[in-house]
Each structure stands twice: as C-alpha cells, then as structure tokens.
C-alpha cells in the first residue's frame, strides 16, 4: 500500500514538473494577444466585427482577447497573417519569439538562400556547358 501512494506521488510530481514552463508560455501568449489587439485597433479600423471576420472568430472571442481571458491560437493567428495587415501581425508574433530561436532561424534562412543561389549558378553553368557541347558537335 505504501509503494502505491509513493508511485502516485511521483506521477503527480512529474505532471507538475511538465506544467512548470506553462506560465511563461502563457505570459508570452498574453503579450502577443495584447500586441495583436493594439495593432488591430490601429490597423483594422478599430472595429471588433472587422477583426472577428479577419480572424474567423466570434465577436465574443475578440472581447475575451481584449479582457485577457483568452489568448490567440495559432489557427487564428494564421488567419490574421493572411489578411492585408499580416506583416504587422507577423511582427507582433516575431517579437514574442526568443532571441536565440530568431538567430537560429535567420542563420538557417541564410544557408538555405546560399544553397539555392549555388544551385542556380550550377544549373546555369550546366546549361552553358551543354550549349558549348552542342555547338562543338554541330561543327
């Protein structure tokens, strides 16, 4: 009987440890939501109805965002990013991403672009070589 209660205690501690990081994430989500609300009132003529239509949510959800009772979910954020003010909403999201993650993403993007440029150069050189071969064999 004693080992069963110890096992339950360990499992309870494990779930408590797993949820330990949640408040920090919730704070980031709340900051992002408040920034999105600020932008929404600045960019989308300040009406709840327009914001609700763009985010594809109810007006009640907008009210919950304003009061801080609810945060923006990814699906709703994607709808906002798809709208005409998407760049401003992306900036609000980007500001909440940790600096180390931003740096890793930027480094990866630079490498992907370099690889794409090199592949284009290689394709161009291959076409030139093929053209020269065709000219040489045609003589």
């Amino acid at each position: 009987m004693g080992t069963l209660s110890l096992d339950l205690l360990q499992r309870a501690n494990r779930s408590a440890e797993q949820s330990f990081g949640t408040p920090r994430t919730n704070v980031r989500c709340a900051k992002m939501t408040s920034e999105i609300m600020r932008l929404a009132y600045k960019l989308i003529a300040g009406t709840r109805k327009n914001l609700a239509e763009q985010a594809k949510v109810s007006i009640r959800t907008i009210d919950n965002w304003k009061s801080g009772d609810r945060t923006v979910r990814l699906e709703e954020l994607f709808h906002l990013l798809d709208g005409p003010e998407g760049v401003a909403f992306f900036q609000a999201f980007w500001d909440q991403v940790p600096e180390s993650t931003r740096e890793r993403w930027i480094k990866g993007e630079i490498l992907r672009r370099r690889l794409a440029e090199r592949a284009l150069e290689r394709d161009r050189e291959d076409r030139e070589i093929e053209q020269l071969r065709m000219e040489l064999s045609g003589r």
Side-chain angles (χ1 to χ4, degrees), residues 10-99:
Q10 288 173 346
R11 276 191 276 158
N13 286 339
R14 219 175 296 124
S15 65
E17 289 170 359
Q18 289 172 352
S19 66
F20 181 70
T22 304
R24 216 172 63 201
T25 303
N26 287 343
V27 168
R28 282 191 190 140
C29 290
K31 283 182 185 177
M32 185 177 72
T33 298
S34 65
E35 183 65 15
I36 285 174
M37 292 309 297
R38 186 186 68 74
L39 288 170
Y41 281 95
K42 185 177 178 182
L43 301 172
I44 309 179
T47 64
R48 298 176 317 164
K49 183 180 177 185
N50 291 342
L51 180 60
E53 287 174 2
Q54 187 171 337
K56 296 183 174 124
V57 296
S58 69
I59 292 177
R60 179 68 184 142
T61 299
I62 303 301
D63 292 338
N64 286 336
W65 288 353
K66 281 177 56 179
S67 67
D69 291 342
R70 188 169 172 197
T71 58
V72 176
R73 296 178 310 171
L74 279 178
E75 182 179 349
E76 297 157 349
L77 178 64
F78 291 147
H79 292 303
L80 292 172
L81 293 174
D82 196 31
E85 297 85 8
V87 174
F89 289 119
F90 179 76
Q91 185 64 43
F93 175 73
W94 186 252
D95 291 342
Q96 302 308 316
V97 174
E99 187 68 30

Side-chain angles (χ1 to χ4, degrees), residues 28 94 97-108:
R28 282 191 190 140
W94 186 252
V97 174
E99 187 68 30
S100 59
T101 303
R102 287 189 225 174
E103 289 176 9
R104 283 195 323 260
W105 183 83
I106 290 171
K107 287 177 184 176

